[in-house]
Amino acid sequence: MSTTPLPPRPRWRSLVVLGLLLLPLLWPLQHFSERYYRQSLEEQNRQTLDLYVANLLGTLHRYEVLPPILADLPPLRALLANPGDGGLQAAANQVLAAVRQDTGADVIYLMSPSGITLGSSNWDQPDSFVGRNFAYRPYFREALAGNQGRFFGLGTTSRKRGYFFASPVRDGQRIVGILVVKVDLDDAETLWGKTPEQLMVTDANGVVIISSRSDWRFHATRPLDNAERAAIVANQPYPTQAPPPLALEERAWITQSRELRETGLTASILAPRQLIDRQVSTTVAIGGAVLLALLLLLGLLMQRRRHYLDRIALDAQARRELEMRVLERTQDLEALNSRLKDEVLEREQAQQELVRAQDELVQAGKLSALGTMSASISHELNQPLAAIRSYADNAGVLLDHQRIGDARGNLQQISELTGRMASIIAHLRAFARRDRHAPESVALQPALDDALALLAKRRRAMDVELIRDLPDAPLWVQAGETRLRQVLGNLLANALDALAERPQPRRIWISAETTGDGVALHLRDNGPGFSEEALRRAREPFFTTKTSTQGLGLGLAICDSLMRALGGELVFANHPEGGALLTLRLRNAAPGVIPQPPEDLTA
């Protein structure tokens, strides 16, 4: 579809060109605004820094005069004259504690010329200085030389920062002791408050000792030379002997510093450059907005002038487009109708094919059910047939030896087994129809003995040791007698199959325990156990790890279905010591009549 283009508008291009020509005017606006806001911020920070420095120096000067004054106290001089006198030491400790309480100092303590602390205001605290040697501190060495000692450091005992003032205690020209006042500098940080500007106080080594940001503390603001590193190791002013560098981007901060000459400290205030950049950006944005507003106003005036001409052109173009769309829509509807007719025919054909496929699927399901039934009957009748063959062979041997009574007993067993085969066939037929039979009261031990009797000859031939741990009293469970024996026979036969290729000793453990709502029967062997795939697919019909001539893979699937039909559960697992562990969980039942045990139980 072709449309008539609108008339060109060269005046809009003229506005763009005009805007590009006026855009460089924003650069001087940015320059002047940056200089103005920078000067304002620096003046404000200078005043703030002056106030902070005055406050810090006032705090230090208040405590600087204490050591010379306290050095003349009689209790302290008496202790220096007799360092080993306990009474004098206690009096000196009380005096120092009282002075510390009155002045607000952190700690006041008295040292001997050897550096041993004789008395301290914190004598009764766990971190008492009494008895400690601080001769390695620089303030001690300066005071011992007769000068006023100053030092900032982290207390090796209290682990608190402090500024130390030390003064010699003289007896004439002889220095008999050193008096030290420690000032807590933590309050110097709390006075700063929550502001974008950051405080930083560094010592003579350029290491941060006070900062409004705790992650800057004890970081070096410049590289340290070997002499400074050696002094740090000797004096131990910081928690680390190698202060890490403080990685600050210089362009991101506006820094103002003030050196405190008498203390050896340098106070700095760092303002984020973003404070200026944000204001400059706002100013430039306002200037750009004003320029853009002027250009838009001019553009709107030009647009108003051409409004009517554009409206006439747009109306004519809209009519042409409407006619073209009506024509296209008509063609689309005709094509759609044709496609709908084709789809209706295709759907009718698909419906007919679906009906045929459903009929074929139903027929295939019937054939599958017949195959499953025949395979199930073949699997379940193998064990009774094997027992019948064994009893028939034994009967022939007994007749040869004229043991008529024993032969008659074997024939009676064959008769019972044929009756059981009929019961199994009837049960499998009912199972295939999904019939539901009410559970009966069945004694667990006789059913287990019957299943063991069917497999006794095979167990003896394989020399499998049977270990039973069953109570003497019958355990009555809710089940069908034929179905329960069928399940036990299948599980025991599978256990013997698992032990077929295992060397001696071959063992099967049978145990039972009562639970709150039923009975749990455990069958365990020392065979190879279940693989991971077997544990996942044990309940699937026709899944087996045996060869095609050894099994069909229906035994465990049938047993699981029978247990669920009886309201119980069949659990597959591996024993921690090796071998498979199968657990039958059955519900409790009222006691009934115990059937006669099979004759071959002890075989």
Side-chain angles (χ1 to χ4, degrees):
M1 180 179 66
S2 61
T3 59
T4 304
L6 296 177
R9 300 180 179 180
R11 295 187 180 183
W12 282 111
R13 291 199 296 270
S14 300
L15 288 176
V16 174
V17 173
L18 180 61
L20 294 176
L21 293 176
L22 295 178
L23 190 62
L25 294 178
L26 297 178
W27 182 82
L29 176 63
Q30 178 185 5
H31 175 73
F32 287 116
S33 61
E34 182 176 356
R35 186 172 63 178
Y36 170 77
Y37 287 120
R38 185 185 184 96
Q39 291 176 352
S40 301
L41 180 63
E42 289 179 348
E43 178 62 23
Q44 177 183 350
N45 289 345
R46 183 187 62 79
Q47 296 175 3
T48 303
L49 185 60
D50 289 343
L51 290 175
Y52 180 80
V53 169
N55 183 35
L56 180 61
L57 289 177
T59 301
L60 296 178
H61 289 162
R62 185 167 67 250
Y63 295 101
E64 184 179 5
V65 297
L66 276 180
I69 296 175
L70 298 178
D72 295 330
L73 292 177
L76 304 184
R77 289 186 171 273
L79 178 60
L80 291 174
N82 297 282
D85 192 323
L88 294 178
Q89 185 180 44
N93 288 336
Q94 295 292 339
V95 170
L96 293 176
V99 173
R100 189 207 68 80
Q101 182 70 26
D102 294 337
T103 60
D106 187 31
V107 184
I108 304 175
Y109 52 101
L110 178 67
M111 295 190 298
S112 67
S114 62
I116 301 298
T117 303
L118 302 177
S120 174
S121 61
N122 65 350
W123 61 275
D124 56 346
Q125 301 297 321
D127 55 351
S128 171
F129 289 179
V130 176
R132 297 184 178 273
N133 192 327
F134 298 110
Y136 62 88
R137 290 293 198 183
Y139 62 80
F140 174 80
R141 296 193 296 269
E142 293 179 6
L144 191 63
N147 302 320
Q148 184 76 10
R150 300 171 181 268
F151 177 71
F152 168 83
L154 189 73
T156 56
T157 302
S158 64
R159 309 308 297 173
K160 292 177 58 178
R161 294 173 297 167
Y163 198 87
F164 298 82
F165 291 103
S167 179
V169 181
R170 300 177 183 273
D171 184 7
Q173 296 298 323
R174 186 169 59 92
I175 296 177
V176 295
I178 306 297
L179 187 64
V180 183
V181 176
K182 178 183 178 182
V183 183
D184 188 2
L185 296 182
D186 289 344
D187 293 339
E189 291 180 344
T190 59
L191 293 174
W192 190 252
K194 302 292 184 180
T195 61
E197 294 82 3
Q198 302 299 328
L199 166 71
M200 184 172 66
V201 178
T202 57
D203 60 4
N205 296 324
V207 177
V208 179
I209 59 173
I210 300 175
S211 176
S212 56
R213 290 184 54 168
S214 58
D215 56 332
W216 290 4
R217 199 176 298 154
F218 301 117
H219 284 64
T221 58
R222 59 177 176 81
L224 302 175
D225 56 27
N226 294 333
E228 291 172 334
R229 293 181 184 275
I232 291 173
V233 173
N235 301 330
Q236 304 180 21
Y238 316 121
T240 175
Q241 296 183 358
L246 181 63
L248 289 180
E249 186 177 353
E250 296 182 0
R251 298 184 59 182
W253 301 90
I254 298 176
T255 305
Q256 292 177 265
S257 302
R258 179 69 54 81
E259 184 178 357
L260 286 66
R261 295 184 181 275
E262 62 273 19
T263 62
L265 305 178
T266 301
S268 303
I269 182 172
L270 292 83
R273 189 174 182 84
Q274 295 178 351
L275 297 177
I276 296 178
D277 294 342
R278 190 181 302 115
Q279 294 175 324
V280 172
S281 299
T282 302
T283 302
V284 174
I286 293 174
V290 172
L291 179 61
L292 181 60
L294 293 176
L295 293 175
L296 289 177
L297 180 59
L298 181 59
L300 289 176
L301 293 176
M302 296 172 60
Q303 179 71 13
R304 189 177 182 85
R305 179 176 176 276
R306 294 183 57 86
H307 175 70
Y308 295 104
L309 294 176
D310 291 345
R311 184 173 181 179
I312 293 173
L314 289 173
D315 288 344
Q317 182 177 349
R319 284 194 298 270
R320 290 192 297 270
E321 290 180 354
L322 181 59
E323 293 174 356
M324 295 295 295
R325 289 179 180 176
V326 170
L327 180 60
E328 292 176 355
R329 183 61 57 86
T330 302
Q331 296 174 352
D332 292 341
L333 288 175
E334 292 176 353
L336 181 59
N337 288 333
S338 177
R339 286 198 301 271
L340 286 175
K341 292 178 182 179
D342 296 338
E343 290 181 0
V344 169
L345 293 176
E346 291 177 0
R347 287 181 180 271
E348 291 178 353
Q349 295 175 358
Q351 187 67 26
Q352 295 174 0
E353 294 178 358
L354 178 61
V355 171
R356 290 196 300 270
Q358 288 176 345
D359 293 340
E360 294 176 357
L361 182 60
V362 170
Q363 186 64 23
K366 294 179 179 179
L367 295 176
S368 176
L370 290 175
T372 301
M373 174 64 73
S374 63
S376 300
I377 293 175
S378 173
H379 180 275
E380 294 303 320
L381 294 184
N382 276 338
Q383 293 179 9
L385 285 175
I388 289 174
R389 184 182 298 109
S390 176
Y391 280 123
D393 293 342
N394 289 338
V397 174
L398 293 173
L399 289 175
D400 291 341
H401 291 79
Q402 299 300 318
R403 295 170 61 182
I404 306 300
D406 294 338
R408 184 177 292 107
N410 279 10
L411 294 176
Q412 180 65 28
Q413 293 292 336
I414 292 174
S415 177
E416 291 179 1
L417 286 174
T418 56
R420 183 172 302 165
M421 291 172 62
S423 175
I424 290 174
I425 293 173
H427 171 68
L428 288 175
R429 186 184 301 112
F431 173 71
R433 294 197 305 268
R434 299 184 181 273
D435 289 349
R436 301 295 181 188
H437 298 285
E440 309 167 359
S441 294
V442 179
L444 180 60
Q445 290 93 328
L448 180 60
D449 293 340
D450 193 16
L452 288 171
L454 289 177
L455 300 170
K457 183 176 180 180
R458 182 182 175 192
R459 180 169 62 82
R460 288 196 306 269
M462 293 176 61
D463 193 15
V464 176
E465 179 184 358
L466 181 65
I467 304 173
R468 296 163 57 109
D469 184 13
L470 299 173
D472 296 332
L475 298 174
W476 293 92
V477 295
Q478 296 184 21
E481 184 173 350
T482 302
R483 287 176 284 178
L484 180 57
R485 293 178 180 179
Q486 181 182 355
V487 170
L488 294 173
N490 275 326
L491 297 182
L492 290 170
N494 284 343
L496 292 176
D497 292 339
L499 295 172
E501 298 182 0
R502 177 178 176 82
Q504 292 293 342
R506 302 188 180 105
R507 294 188 179 95
I508 294 179
W509 290 265
I510 302 177
S511 61
E513 61 178 343
T514 57
T515 60
D517 57 350
V519 176
L521 178 65
H522 304 289
L523 301 178
R524 175 197 164 196
D525 61 66
N526 62 342
F530 291 105
S531 64
E532 293 184 2
E533 181 183 12
L535 285 175
R536 291 195 307 270
R537 303 181 58 190
R539 293 176 173 84
E540 297 181 10
F542 299 105
F543 172 76
T544 179
T545 57
K546 307 173 186 177
T547 63
S548 59
T549 59
Q550 292 177 328
L552 298 174
L554 290 171
L556 294 181
I558 293 174
C559 292
D560 182 67
S561 299
L562 291 175
M563 289 300 296
R564 285 189 279 107
L566 295 173
E569 182 184 8
L570 179 58
V571 181
F572 304 98
N574 287 319
H575 196 271
E577 298 179 4
L581 174 63
L582 289 85
T583 302
L584 284 79
R585 303 186 187 276
L586 297 165
R587 293 183 294 178
N588 286 324
V593 179
I594 300 178
Q596 287 297 107
E599 296 180 1
D600 200 18
L601 173 62
T602 60

